[in-house]
Amino acid sequence: MQNQLPSISDRHPARAWVAPLALATALLVAGCSHTSQFAGQSQSVPVPTQWQRSAEAAPVASPEDLSRWWQRFGDAPMTALIEQALAANPSVLNAQAVLRQARAQRDVQAAGLLPSVGSSAGATRSRSGNNDASNRYSVGVDASWEPDWWGRQGNAVQAGDANVEAAVAALEGAHVALAAEVALNYIELRSLQERLQIARDNLAIQRENQQITEWRLQAGLVTSLEAEQARQSTAQTAAQIPALQSSLAQSRHALAILTGQPPGALDAQLQTVQPLPVAPEQLAMALPADTLRQRPDVRVQEHKVVAAVANLSAQERANFPSLRLSGSLGLGALTVGALTNGASVAASIAAGLSAPLFDGGANRAQIRAQQAAVEQARIAYRSTVLTALQEVEDALAQLQGDKERLVQLLVAQEAARNASLLANQRYSSGLVDFQTVLDTQRTLLSSQDSVASTRAAISTDHVRLYKALGGGWQPLDTDGQRVGSSTPATL
């Protein structure tokens, strides 16, 4: 359906077409109105009852408390590495580019709500019959606007806003994942350094025992069996050192890549042995259901639901009539100079009303597709929340289990150390054979290594818990940079 307004030079006013336009609009709206059954539906997901515990039982960890959780470890090198990674890691830079793209696309959609204005200029040369050729020059301005009567374009802008928020949350999610990844690699690095030192200390003791055994063999106090056993035990411990060293090199390389540098860039800074970063013991926090909403992945899915509902609403309004207003103003003259003086003026305004009458059911099919997209977004939201619940509960259970395991391993380590001392004393007195000494030494090495590994596991459990709670994100500025973030100059 198309209706052209008369030219402004005509004598009849515009009121002649208002009544037919209003009638057509009323009839079409009555036949096309449809509201989304998904809009406004709650996206709540049941959470465990222990997540509803009173905040009086323990202080609640707010998003601000967890925004820079790595500072709780009190390890300056780890903090420096995380801050450097957040500023230079390729995954973060890519997420920032995605955010800029989403904002630009939203601006494109918002521009559709405004009138569009264009300019034109032209020159023609024509000749008719035996007449001389003539030139004509023209300049003009054209404008058009489609009022958003039914909110279709507004819903598209709303979907664009939701996509921008989802991109913001995705960038924050990149920050959360990256901070945790750097911390886990750093903890592994310090743990490997500690385990390497334990292996070297035990190797030194075993070499001393091997030397003593060789002296006793020369004196005829032991047989070649004890000497070979000592040599085998020493070599077996020495074989662990290259494996630990290669794992150390891989951890350094991983940290360099995470901070956006070549693999060997951090070798010099990370060669120095430092203690394992340990989280504070006072990790007591209530876990209300709202805690999950600070997780970026949950907020991504939440915004995707909003965008899907807005897209559905926009698609439903595609059946509504649309009005387009256009106008032009131009100057025409036979010479370029005459355009500024004595040019003829041509002006026009027009309005067009259009609405679909028959499309073979295409729009209804598009509406069904958008309804399915809304349902998929809702299901993805629910799945993400359930996964978040599981990750937090798993992290808490793992942390508690490793703490209990460490208590028993410390007891076992102390017993193994005492047994090793007693075995050496009794071997010197000839009361036990050398195999007993070797067994107690191996047990002590195993106990010390297990204690070191479990201490590192407890630190990594804290990191995984902070990550599961959505820790590590901060508000972003308009450029996608973390507000208040700073990168230390040295490691």
Side-chain angles (χ1 to χ4, degrees):
M1 172 169 40
Q2 185 75 19
N3 182 23
Q4 292 292 334
L5 280 176
S7 170
I8 61 174
S9 62
D10 290 347
R11 296 176 55 190
H12 300 287
R15 66 174 181 267
W17 55 272
V18 172
L21 174 62
L23 178 61
T25 300
L27 293 174
L28 287 169
V29 171
C32 301
S33 61
H34 181 72
T35 56
S36 171
Q37 61 176 323
F38 296 98
Q41 289 188 357
S42 173
Q43 305 300 325
S44 61
V45 177
V47 297
T49 55
Q50 63 267 28
W51 283 57
Q52 310 297 336
R53 71 184 75 160
S54 172
E56 298 177 357
V60 178
S62 66
E64 291 77 17
D65 294 332
L66 297 179
S67 62
R68 298 171 67 86
W69 54 260
W70 48 87
Q71 293 183 346
R72 296 186 176 190
F73 287 84
D75 193 297
M78 184 175 78
T79 297
L81 287 170
I82 291 176
E83 294 291 345
Q84 186 174 354
L86 293 175
N89 184 269
S91 65
V92 171
L93 299 179
N94 181 72
Q96 290 175 348
V98 171
L99 174 57
R100 291 194 297 270
Q101 181 184 25
R103 285 174 172 164
Q105 290 174 342
R106 185 267 177 199
D107 292 341
V108 171
Q109 293 164 340
L113 295 172
L114 302 175
S116 62
V117 180
S119 61
S120 62
T124 60
R125 182 176 177 83
S126 62
R127 181 177 181 178
S128 176
N130 296 325
N131 297 327
D132 294 336
S134 62
N135 299 327
R136 183 168 183 80
Y137 303 91
S138 64
V139 293
V141 177
D142 303 317
S144 63
W145 179 44
E146 183 177 341
D148 190 25
W149 281 3
W150 321 117
R152 180 172 58 88
Q153 294 174 334
N155 278 279
V157 174
Q158 182 182 358
D161 289 335
N163 289 330
V164 169
E165 294 300 324
V168 170
L171 176 55
E172 293 168 351
H175 289 158
V176 171
L178 181 60
E181 189 68 19
V182 173
L184 291 174
N185 278 274
Y186 181 83
I187 291 171
E188 182 182 11
L189 174 79
R190 297 309 182 193
S191 174
L192 288 169
Q193 288 179 337
E194 183 179 359
R195 293 173 60 195
L196 180 60
Q197 188 60 46
I198 291 172
R200 285 171 173 168
D201 292 343
N202 278 273
L203 179 60
I205 295 173
Q206 290 175 359
R207 282 175 174 168
E208 291 180 2
N209 289 336
Q210 180 182 352
Q211 186 65 46
I212 293 173
T213 303
E214 291 175 354
W215 290 339
R216 292 168 65 89
L217 176 62
Q218 294 175 2
L221 301 177
V222 296
T223 65
S224 298
L225 175 61
E226 283 82 358
E228 290 301 319
Q229 287 175 335
R231 191 162 69 93
Q232 181 270 337
S233 179
T234 301
Q236 188 171 8
T237 302
Q240 298 179 14
I241 293 178
L244 293 171
Q245 289 175 331
S246 63
S247 297
L248 264 174
Q250 293 171 2
S251 295
R252 291 195 299 268
H253 298 164
L255 286 170
I257 297 300
L258 288 171
T259 55
Q261 302 178 75
L266 298 179
D267 288 354
Q269 293 94 324
L270 298 177
Q271 286 288 355
T272 304
V273 177
Q274 292 196 15
L276 181 76
V278 178
E281 289 295 330
Q282 60 273 19
L283 181 63
M285 61 180 68
L287 298 175
D290 286 345
T291 302
L292 288 181
R293 297 195 70 245
Q294 73 191 48
R295 282 181 53 128
D297 56 343
V298 172
R299 287 184 287 116
V300 167
Q301 297 301 329
E302 187 176 9
H303 292 305
K304 285 185 176 180
V305 172
V306 174
V309 171
N311 286 328
L312 171 59
S313 182
Q315 187 62 49
E316 290 170 343
R317 284 158 174 76
N319 279 329
F320 294 3
S322 62
L323 173 66
R324 186 173 185 84
L325 304 176
S326 62
S328 64
L329 177 65
L331 301 175
L334 297 178
T335 63
V336 175
L339 287 174
T340 59
N341 185 15
S344 60
V345 179
S348 66
I349 184 171
L353 180 66
S354 63
L357 297 178
F358 178 76
D359 62 359
N363 191 66
R364 290 185 179 182
Q366 289 288 348
I367 291 175
R368 293 197 303 272
Q370 289 297 332
Q371 288 173 342
V374 172
E375 187 65 21
Q376 292 176 42
R378 293 177 63 248
I379 293 172
Y381 176 87
R382 177 181 176 86
S383 176
T384 302
V385 172
L386 293 176
T387 300
L389 287 168
Q390 179 186 358
E391 289 180 358
V392 173
E393 293 292 340
D394 288 350
L396 288 170
Q398 187 66 42
L399 177 60
Q400 182 63 28
D402 284 337
K403 284 184 174 180
E404 294 175 358
R405 182 168 181 264
L406 179 61
V407 172
Q408 300 302 321
L409 286 175
L410 289 172
V411 174
Q413 177 183 254
E414 183 63 22
R417 182 179 291 108
N418 294 334
S420 180
L421 291 174
L422 291 172
N424 278 285
Q425 292 174 359
R426 300 191 68 179
Y427 176 71
S428 300
S429 302
L431 300 178
V432 296
D433 58 8
F434 190 67
Q435 184 61 45
T436 303
V437 175
L438 295 178
D439 290 342
T440 55
Q441 286 179 346
R442 279 195 293 266
T443 302
L444 176 58
L445 174 59
S446 176
S447 297
Q448 290 174 331
D449 189 78
S450 296
V451 167
S453 298
T454 305
R455 281 176 173 159
I458 292 175
S459 293
T460 59
D461 291 340
H462 280 90
V463 172
R464 291 191 174 96
L465 178 58
Y466 291 139
K467 179 184 177 183
L469 292 172
W473 69 270
Q474 287 180 261
L476 304 175
D477 59 22
T478 56
D479 295 326
Q481 302 293 330
R482 291 160 57 89
V483 175
S485 65
S486 61
T487 304
T490 61
L491 300 179

